Amino acid sequence: NIIQVFQLVEEDGFVALEMENLEDAEPFDQYLSKLTSLSFAEIKDYYRQILASVIYLHRQGILLNDLQLSCFFITNNEKIKWTWFTEISNGKVLPAISSNIHSLGLILKNLSALLKSRNNLYLGRDNNIFKQIIKKASNKDGRIQYANVNELSKDFEKLIFATYEKMALVPSEDKKKKIQLPFK
């Protein structure tokens, strides 16, 4: 989920990166601002992609200065692409990780604000099923906040699984239709 860089080009004192073409992609924050709602599956998919890119960068020793929705683009096939990042090299690793986790909590809060309800199983805005994860991730107290992005990701996956179990038990709004399970 990170934009691919092919090569560094230097010419006449100028430096440029030859990168994957995102001409048809849209800034993710602008894309979201046009929507009135997102399904649970869409939020799950988008957030998983964002988490995957941050986890990958952290494993490479790269921490992010300013993690927010505007750092991502969405392609025509609904893939999230990370477009820029900066390495923090001043030795302040713990505050940077904490800042990244806090930002991931705020990103989930923004996504979940668009969550549409399915038979009152989950609600959008401030009363939603992601509330505990958002609260723990965005907490500034290091004793309460997730220690790393992997912990946040594990809690997110547990919540996804539990929600799909609940959804399987909730009858469809239209009793004439078959209940479609969201997983195989």
Side-chain angles (χ1 to χ4, degrees):
N1 299 95
I2 299 170
I3 190 168
Q4 190 173 6
V5 177
F6 302 116
Q7 67 178 337
L8 177 79
V9 179
E10 270 186 88
E11 191 174 302
D12 299 328
F14 292 98
V15 177
L17 295 172
E18 183 181 331
M19 299 171 21
E20 176 181 358
N21 185 357
L22 288 179
E23 189 175 305
D24 294 331
E26 182 176 8
F28 194 47
D29 57 340
Q30 291 177 19
Y31 169 78
L32 292 175
S33 70
K34 297 176 192 174
L35 302 177
T36 57
S37 67
L38 284 172
S39 71
F40 180 79
E42 289 170 318
I43 291 173
K44 172 193 67 144
D45 185 48
Y46 295 152
Y47 200 63
R48 275 182 175 165
Q49 291 181 64
I50 290 169
L51 285 173
S53 63
V54 175
I55 288 170
Y56 175 80
L57 291 171
H58 281 199
R59 284 186 183 148
Q60 307 309 309
I62 299 169
L63 302 173
L64 310 160
N65 276 331
D66 192 20
L67 179 60
Q68 53 187 306
L69 285 170
S70 61
C71 299
F72 300 94
F73 274 68
I74 185 165
T75 64
N76 287 339
N77 59 355
E78 300 205 352
K79 297 296 175 204
I80 304 293
K81 290 287 188 171
W82 180 264
T83 56
W84 62 272
F85 55 87
T86 50
E87 186 173 347
I88 296 173
S89 57
N90 61 7
K92 296 182 179 178
V93 174
L94 290 176
I97 289 173
S98 177
S99 173
N100 286 183
I101 293 169
H102 182 266
S103 296
L104 287 168
L106 297 179
I107 287 171
L108 182 57
K109 184 176 184 176
N110 284 325
L111 289 173
S112 66
L114 293 169
L115 182 64
K116 60 183 172 185
S117 170
R118 180 176 183 259
N119 294 353
N120 297 320
L121 180 62
Y122 40 78
L123 304 169
R125 306 289 170 232
D126 293 328
N127 185 19
N128 70 57
I129 61 169
F130 300 109
K131 191 179 203 173
Q132 292 305 317
I133 293 175
I134 294 166
K135 186 176 179 180
K136 188 170 179 178
S138 59
N139 197 306
K140 299 227 182 214
D141 185 343
R143 296 169 294 167
I144 296 171
Q145 189 186 56
Y146 292 102
N148 56 54
V149 181
N150 288 328
E151 282 185 13
L152 189 160
S153 181
K154 285 178 187 173
D155 272 4
F156 183 73
E157 292 304 323
K158 285 178 192 173
L159 180 76
I160 297 300
F161 183 77
T163 303
Y164 276 149
E165 281 185 326
K166 287 179 191 173
M167 287 172 67
L169 300 173
V170 176
S172 176
E173 289 179 21
D174 183 358
K175 293 180 183 180
K176 294 178 185 176
K177 293 181 182 178
K178 284 186 174 179
I179 295 175
Q180 296 292 320
L181 296 177
F183 53 88
K184 293 180 182 177

